[in-house]
Amino acid sequence: MGLQSFVFFQCSILVISHCSFLQFSSWYCCTNWEWDPQTFNSNPALCTLPLAPTSPISSGDAWVTMYGATSTSPFSLGIASVCQRFNVCKANTFLFLLGFELTSFCPQGIYGYPIEIQALFFMALRCALAMLKQDSEVNKFNVIPDSIPEWVFDFMPTRGGYFIGNVSPARMDFRWFALGNCVAILSSLATPEQSMAIMDLIESRWEELVGEMPLKISYPAFENHEWRIITGCDPKNTRWSYHNGGSWPVLLWLLTAACIKTGRPQIARRAIDLAESRLLKDSWPEYYDGKLGRYVGKQARKYQTWSIAGYLVAKMLLEDPSHLGMISLEEDRQMKPLIKRSSSWTC
């Protein structure tokens, strides 16, 4: 690096870091300052406080951009782990952060989504991506081991996996949600490997996720004090009932469709056999209660259209897997079906 390049490089770092400090300070001042338009208008030249609050997001953007510059120079700071955290905190909430908005009173007329912040954010993301080692192990969602509930360790089999319920950085929800995981397979949000892992989990944890009536809407259920806090002591959502771990026959068709797409029709057949042994006798209820789904829901309505439709669609999909194309995206329709109907196929 020549002397001229080195000077320019060092000056750039000073400017970026200085802007970062000012923006952080701006946020601190504004959040501890009561706006007084009358005082400001009387002598605006003497006002040393910022015109509008600047989020610490721009401060972080500036620092990562600076790190990006140093990591490609002989003066590397070795901050790959810092960028990994940045990638987790920002890239995985990209839409939220691009929704940064100046909601306070802005004398300069800067409202909504300032281009400076958006452009700086984009540049910071590119710098962070360039500094990430592609072959390095990254704690993608920055999960703290102590935050993982104890039940997860007993629930997870040797083979299998699933998409957890919520990956919000403020609150991770590790529960299993049947609807989301089945749709993830059908929409190809899940990779082929992930789709197979979800199927492996259902087979390995059949009693917990299917039980005596398919299919558990979520697992596990909220109980005791947790149930009181989260549901507000809702009598309909007691443990293993309704939306709190209840079993819903309507989900049968989604499970069947996911099974067909992953080439695992035997799972669907087993679930349909369970449903057939109960649904007609129980007058097609809306949902079932109990840890195994053994009891008709305490407030379940009978002869529910979607319970009947879910069963019928599941049967039709299993009898003719080509029907899966009706609910596939255009690019998925071009794929050769994993299963073809045959007279000898009995599952």
Side-chain angles (χ1 to χ4, degrees):
M1 180 182 292
L3 178 61
Q4 184 177 7
S5 300
F6 174 75
V7 172
F8 175 78
F9 169 73
Q10 293 297 327
C11 290
S12 298
I13 293 180
L14 290 174
V15 170
I16 293 175
S17 60
H18 182 62
C19 290
S20 173
F21 172 76
L22 289 180
Q23 288 167 352
F24 180 81
S25 301
S26 170
W27 173 262
Y28 178 81
C29 291
C30 283
T31 53
N32 291 275
W33 172 46
E34 293 185 4
W35 171 258
D36 186 354
Q38 193 170 19
T39 303
F40 177 81
N41 292 331
S42 62
N43 195 349
L46 297 178
C47 181
T48 59
L49 293 173
L51 300 179
T54 304
S55 167
I57 179 177
S58 55
S59 175
D61 291 338
W63 276 107
V64 172
T65 303
M66 180 187 70
Y67 291 152
T70 59
S71 67
T72 57
S73 73
F75 307 96
S76 176
L77 297 178
I79 39 68
S81 60
V82 174
C83 293
Q84 289 174 359
R85 293 190 182 93
F86 176 85
N87 189 53
V88 167
C89 296
K90 296 205 167 188
N92 288 300
T93 53
F94 189 78
L95 293 178
F96 168 75
L97 291 173
L98 284 186
F100 165 74
E101 191 167 1
L102 295 175
T103 55
S104 303
F105 176 77
C106 303
Q108 295 296 319
I110 302 175
Y111 297 93
Y113 312 98
I115 183 59
E116 290 89 347
I117 294 177
Q118 309 307 319
L120 183 59
F121 179 42
F122 180 73
M123 184 176 182
L125 284 177
R126 293 191 63 187
C127 290
L129 181 62
M131 288 184 286
L132 279 173
K133 296 180 180 179
Q134 298 300 322
D135 59 344
S136 63
E137 294 185 5
V138 180
N139 186 358
K140 186 175 182 181
F141 298 107
N142 202 24
V143 178
I144 300 173
D146 290 344
S147 69
I148 302 176
E150 292 185 6
W151 65 264
V152 173
F153 298 98
D154 296 325
F155 177 68
M156 287 301 299
T158 304
R159 293 178 55 191
Y162 66 106
F163 290 104
I164 66 175
N166 195 324
V167 294
S168 169
R171 182 177 180 179
M172 304 288 282
D173 188 345
F174 289 89
R175 287 180 297 163
W176 152 273
F177 286 89
L179 179 61
N181 278 272
C182 287
V183 173
I185 293 175
L186 296 177
S187 65
S188 296
L189 170 64
T191 64
E193 293 77 15
Q194 290 171 335
S195 298
M196 296 302 290
I198 293 172
M199 290 292 108
D200 289 338
L201 177 72
I202 293 175
E203 278 195 309
S204 299
R205 294 292 177 259
W206 186 266
E207 290 296 313
E208 291 88 346
L209 303 181
V210 181
E212 297 181 14
M213 173 55 65
L215 183 65
K216 282 290 177 195
I217 192 170
S218 62
Y219 181 91
F222 291 124
E223 302 184 66
N224 304 321
H225 183 65
E226 193 175 24
W227 164 75
R228 297 186 184 94
I229 296 298
I230 294 176
T231 72
C233 298
D234 182 2
K236 196 171 186 178
N237 280 302
T238 54
R239 63 179 184 173
W240 308 113
S241 180
Y242 202 53
H243 292 156
N244 187 18
S247 299
W248 291 71
V250 66
L251 297 175
L252 185 61
W253 80 269
L254 282 167
L255 173 63
T256 302
C259 290
I260 291 173
K261 185 170 182 180
T262 54
R264 311 279 279 273
Q266 69 279 4
I267 299 178
R269 168 56 64 191
R270 185 180 176 188
I272 290 175
D273 288 344
L274 278 175
E276 286 179 335
S277 67
R278 296 283 308 275
L279 286 175
L280 180 60
K281 182 178 63 176
D282 295 336
S283 303
W284 304 95
E286 180 184 19
Y287 65 94
Y288 285 76
D289 285 351
K291 197 169 186 178
L292 296 177
R294 180 174 299 168
Y295 311 102
V296 174
K298 56 181 176 292
Q299 295 189 40
R301 305 299 186 263
K302 301 294 183 67
Y303 299 104
Q304 288 288 291
T305 302
W306 58 359
S307 295
I308 300 172
Y311 166 74
L312 292 177
V313 172
K315 288 284 288 187
M316 294 175 66
L317 284 170
L318 199 58
E319 290 177 0
D320 188 353
S322 66
H323 288 320
L324 186 63
M326 298 172 62
I327 54 173
S328 298
L329 299 177
E330 188 62 34
E331 54 268 28
D332 291 336
R333 293 195 190 103
Q334 308 302 323
M335 298 173 60
K336 186 177 180 181
L338 291 172
I339 307 170
K340 289 187 176 180
R341 186 179 181 182
S342 65
S343 56
S344 61
W345 179 43
T346 59
C347 292

